[in-house]
Amino acid sequence: MRKHLKKWLRGIAFSLVGLLGLVTFAVPAQQASASPVGYICVRLWEPLLHRWVWHCWQIPVYIDWDWKWKCPQCGLAINWREQLGDPDPLSRVNESINDGLLDLGKAAFAQDPAEQAKLRGAALESFTTAARTLGRSSLGVGEVGVVNEEKNTFEARQVDFLSAAGQDVADGVALLQKSFGSSGDDAAKLREAAVGQFDLAYKQLATGTVAKG
């Protein structure tokens, strides 16, 4: 079974957890115990269906996103600008970036330093996969907005922190692409700078704010 199909099944479980968490929204803030819920969505190419399908996964965040769009089952998504053309590599880029952000989110809430390091390493590996798959194609931020996975729809919205996070991801991927042609300390410094961009991207997603400076 393809990797993203396995994740789609896992996404069903995450969605159930998110729906159960909605019960706490009617409880006064001081009594609520559910963790904040955010969903990030990615467009994946389904060759058997011969069409693009939206998939959403729960990501650990510091504030709830749901109430902002009055759509508990909805998530946020970035439509990337690239020059790949072929839907299959673009789908791999989308999935790899999504995997990287999810692992950064898990790492941010991990209590065990070893587990945190493992997740951060996996995140960098996923972003590196995206960068390699892009080849010479650059990555840019197109429209951002809200996805309703049940209806397989995307609605463009002005979400400043999402646009800012997307640009940080694009900048990080560009640094990784540049590192492929470098060696030694130069490559290490480029990868370190890329990690900083990815961390900033997740921070903005997790807080729902645009980072200053």
Side-chain angles (χ1 to χ4, degrees), residues 91-153:
S91 186
R92 291 200 301 272
V93 169
N94 289 346
E95 184 175 25
S96 296
I97 291 173
N98 188 69
D99 288 348
L101 292 172
L102 287 173
D103 280 334
L104 284 182
K106 294 173 185 176
F109 285 80
Q111 300 298 311
D112 179 24
E115 179 66 12
Q116 185 179 67
K118 179 180 178 181
L119 288 165
R120 288 180 61 80
L124 181 56
E125 183 177 344
S126 292
F127 288 124
T128 301
T129 297
R132 290 195 184 281
T133 303
L134 281 165
R136 295 185 178 181
S137 174
S138 60
L139 186 71
V141 180
E143 290 184 320
V144 303
V146 178
V147 168
N148 187 322
E149 186 180 17
E150 295 177 359
K151 298 180 179 180
N152 198 39
T153 59

Side-chain angles (χ1 to χ4, degrees), residues 39-40 63-65 68-69 75-78 141-147 154-167 204-210:
Y39 290 89
I40 55 172
I63 65 163
D64 285 305
W65 291 346
K68 292 186 177 183
W69 297 280
L76 296 180
I78 300 168
V141 180
E143 290 184 320
V144 303
V146 178
V147 168
F154 170 85
E155 182 180 348
R157 297 279 188 91
Q158 180 177 342
V159 187
D160 292 339
F161 75 83
L162 184 58
S163 295
Q167 188 57 56
Q204 293 177 113
L205 289 175
T207 60
T209 59
V210 177

Side-chain angles (χ1 to χ4, degrees), residues 43 52 79-87 89-91 93-94 134 137-142:
R43 196 175 58 142
W52 291 96
N79 277 323
W80 302 103
R81 290 201 311 267
E82 40 65 46
Q83 299 85 40
L84 289 173
D86 189 338
L90 175 55
S91 186
V93 169
N94 289 346
L134 281 165
S137 174
S138 60
L139 186 71
V141 180

